[in-house]
Amino acid sequence: MSQGRVWMPGLEASPRPSLRLVLVVLLIIAALASAVAVTTTSHLTREQYARLQQLEREQNQLQTEWGQLLLEESTWSSPARIERLASDRLEMHLPDIERVEVIEP
């Protein structure tokens, strides 16, 4: 103490930071990292939920279209329609009973 320095208890000059200060800084960094992770996860969850809703709407539209196509197919392939087209457009008709031949295997 001969060089003009005043000694005060608890204020020792140390070149290394104290362990308590290091722990506080590490805890602050961990809390900030956790906050950023929670924010990022929440954002990604909202984006994925919006995408899920969009895909569900698209699925409903495709399901409706599929039902309409099945109805249309049953209409176009009905036996009565096919028979009518065969007779009208292709001039096909059932053969007379005399013209029918049975082939035995």
Side-chain angles (χ1 to χ4, degrees), residues 83 91-101:
E83 186 176 339
E91 298 178 5
M92 296 175 76
H93 54 84
L94 289 174
D96 295 332
I97 194 75
E98 299 87 29
R99 298 190 67 192
V100 175
E101 293 184 22

Side-chain angles (χ1 to χ4, degrees), residues 26-73:
L26 287 176
L27 286 174
I28 289 173
I29 291 172
L32 289 174
S34 175
V36 168
V38 166
T39 304
T40 303
T41 303
S42 296
H43 175 69
L44 292 175
T45 301
R46 285 187 185 111
E47 281 183 342
Q48 292 299 319
Y49 186 69
R51 176 74 175 136
L52 173 67
Q53 287 180 327
Q54 176 187 1
L55 289 173
E56 285 176 344
R57 280 191 303 271
E58 186 177 334
Q59 178 189 17
N60 288 339
Q61 290 171 348
L62 290 172
Q63 196 68 29
T64 301
E65 184 179 350
W66 174 251
Q68 290 171 346
L69 288 172
L70 286 177
L71 283 173
E72 186 176 341
E73 179 190 28

